[in-house]
Amino acid sequence: MGGRIHPGGSLDTVRASLGLADVLTFDGDPAEAERLYRAGLRSLATLSGDTGRDRVFALSGLATSLYFQSRLDEAARSFEQALELGTEVLGDDHPKVAETVNNLGSIAYQSGDFRGATADAEAIRARMNEVQSHRETAQPIREKTGGSTFKNPPGNSAVGGQVIRAVERRRSIHRNVVGV
């Protein structure tokens, strides 16, 4: 792919490129996604208007692209950076922070690195109970559903509607940003 992100471009352009990198990570070209994430992170360092949120998501995306390339040590370092910045910028309770902790746990599991796992067992158990209690008050998890605890918006099915349109939008961004 020939597209490049140029430092000094707009924040919207960088965000579009990072969105394209998200698609590439999961559509089978994580090496190209890595290149776009790294370029996006360089650009974000020079742009005003980034509150840090974009860097958190870009670091997490970079880590995921490295993970898909089986570069677990590098992925772990990027996830750790995303976790540190995400905790500072987004807060401990943000879903991206929880996702990052989960991803670090997956890498630790795959690497066989269980240092400190037993020391935190009580804290982990307490947090799991807290999350479960919240879910029970916020979602109908004890009711029989068709496998989902959330309803689709009227007139849309997840597969037939919104998801397909989202993928088409991202591919359109890809064509516009990269010129393919």
Side-chain angles (χ1 to χ4, degrees):
M1 301 196 172
R4 295 280 184 250
I5 301 173
H6 298 285
S10 75
L11 187 56
D12 287 338
T13 301
V14 173
R15 286 177 176 156
S17 296
L18 293 172
L20 170 60
D22 289 343
V23 172
L24 291 171
T25 296
F26 295 99
D27 279 351
D29 197 352
E32 178 65 10
E34 175 191 356
R35 189 190 64 72
L36 287 172
Y37 285 124
R38 289 188 189 281
L41 284 163
R42 283 190 303 273
S43 293
L44 287 171
T46 66
L47 291 174
S48 62
D50 174 35
T51 60
R53 181 183 185 280
D54 293 301
R55 283 178 286 144
V56 171
F57 280 78
L59 282 166
S60 181
L62 171 62
T64 303
S65 71
L66 293 167
Y67 175 85
F68 278 110
Q69 295 175 70
S70 299
R71 294 161 55 192
L72 299 184
D73 289 340
E74 292 174 83
R77 283 192 296 276
S78 291
F79 277 130
E80 287 166 358
Q81 291 174 347
L83 179 61
E84 183 179 336
L85 183 60
T87 301
E88 176 187 323
V89 172
L90 304 172
D92 289 339
D93 293 335
H94 194 279
K96 191 56 149 180
V97 172
E99 175 186 299
T100 303
V101 170
N102 183 60
N103 290 335
L104 281 167
S106 293
I107 290 173
Y109 179 79
Q110 289 180 1
S111 302
D113 182 5
F114 300 108
R115 289 173 284 153
T118 56
D120 297 327
E122 282 303 314
I124 291 168
R125 190 173 295 113
R127 181 67 175 139
M128 287 173 64
N129 289 336
E130 181 182 320
V131 169
Q132 181 66 21
S133 294
H134 174 72
R135 284 187 66 214
E136 288 176 355
T137 62
Q139 301 172 6
I141 61 173
R142 301 221 184 264
E143 295 177 24
K144 291 188 179 192
T145 65
S148 174
T149 57
F150 301 100
K151 289 174 32 178
N152 290 323
N156 289 302
S157 73
V159 174
Q162 293 177 331
V163 172
I164 291 171
R165 284 192 296 279
V167 169
E168 289 170 352
R169 276 194 308 273
R170 285 191 174 207
R171 287 192 174 137
S172 173
I173 290 170
H174 174 265
R175 285 189 295 275
N176 292 331
V177 171
V178 178
V180 174

